[in-house]
Amino acid sequence: MLAKRIIPCLDVKDGRTVKGVNFVDLRDAGDPVELGSLYAQKGADELTFLDITATVEKRKTLSQLVKRIAEHIHIPFTVGGGIRTVDDVRVMLECGADKISINSEAVKNPSIIDAMSMEFGSQCVVCAVDTKYNGRFWEVYVHGGRTPTGIRTLDWVKEVESRGAGELLLTSMDHDGTKDGFALELTREVSSLVSVPVIASGGAGTMGHFVDIFTEGKADAALAASIFHFHEIDIAELKEYIRSHDVVIR
């Protein structure tokens, strides 16, 4: 079994780390360079940087900020937000990113996943899937969680895998920022449908939630933000707790 991973997430707006609940009501959480460096020192397995308004504001990810963060960390680094083209990916990799995350453009133009994975390898392409339960099915959302697409999440994850995405970042908008726990059933269902790693996101509030998402949810990695930003859970202590529950963690 592959060792599980803990991934802090830096949601960045106007050069600052922010965190909200259900994708709204954002509050400042600190300097992304300082936080990224701290998490790397604390034992995070990877770091994810999401420029959360890049797509909405139709501008490119903050490449200089990406470069500054990359200079301060030694762990795999995923960057997302406003990435639309193969050239955008190349710029991010040159700035120090190891992987890119794509969501809105993938839904708008699914063949871009094929193109990116052919050019850089599937291990470089993370497909972010923001999803919300609409009363009938889990639906894919784009534009930073602002726009419903009508696409069924369970159909979409299979398509993006077939097109070459090497990893899925699955965020339940219903659970985001609530600290009530991850979407266990959804994550388990997605994990059973695809063979690529699934990163669960949205809802982490306790150390037990991480054990649950790894055991019941079958996730390969767990991503969280506010519990790390506001010093509610220490990454090193979290890893010890997870190991004590017989889960293999890096």
Side-chain angles (χ1 to χ4, degrees), residues 36-219:
S37 179
L38 174 67
Y39 297 148
Q41 294 168 22
K42 288 279 190 178
D45 299 301
E46 297 186 17
L47 185 70
T48 292
F49 169 107
L50 300 175
D51 187 349
I52 60 173
T53 56
T55 299
V56 177
E57 296 171 3
K58 293 186 170 56
R59 59 176 167 73
K60 298 291 168 60
T61 304
L62 302 172
S63 57
Q64 291 307 307
L65 182 54
V66 169
K67 191 176 289 185
R68 284 174 53 217
I69 295 172
E71 288 170 353
H72 286 79
I73 64 173
H74 56 273
I75 54 178
F77 182 30
T78 300
V79 174
I83 293 173
R84 298 182 179 84
T85 67
V86 167
D87 282 341
D88 290 342
V89 178
R90 186 172 289 109
V91 169
M92 289 301 107
L93 297 182
E94 289 171 353
C95 287
D98 298 284
K99 299 185 266 191
I100 61 89
S101 172
I102 184 171
N103 178 2
S104 301
E105 188 64 25
V107 173
K108 177 182 170 186
N109 174 24
S111 64
I112 195 65
I113 303 171
D114 305 71
M116 289 176 177
S117 65
M118 283 180 66
E119 181 73 20
F120 304 106
S122 61
Q123 81 290 337
C124 178
V125 182
V126 179
C127 196
V129 181
D130 296 338
T131 181
K132 192 173 185 178
Y133 191 68
N134 64 13
R136 293 177 297 124
F137 57 87
W138 285 93
E139 182 177 7
V140 175
Y141 275 65
V142 293
H143 302 134
R146 291 168 175 79
T147 310
T149 64
I151 298 170
R152 291 177 181 266
T153 298
L154 298 182
D155 293 337
W156 179 237
V157 296
K158 289 187 287 187
E159 178 172 351
V160 299
E161 179 187 29
S162 71
R163 288 182 175 276
E167 203 163 27
L168 297 177
L169 171 54
L170 179 69
T171 301
S172 166
M173 294 170 60
D174 296 326
H175 294 72
D176 176 70
T178 64
K179 299 182 185 176
D180 291 333
F182 294 95
L184 298 178
E185 192 175 325
L186 169 68
T187 308
R188 182 170 58 246
E189 198 162 0
V190 169
S191 295
S192 70
L193 284 173
V194 298
S195 57
V196 296
V198 175
I199 306 166
S201 167
T206 69
M207 294 190 190
H209 290 155
F210 287 86
V211 174
D212 292 343
I213 196 61
F214 290 142
T215 55
E216 297 177 46
K218 307 299 182 187

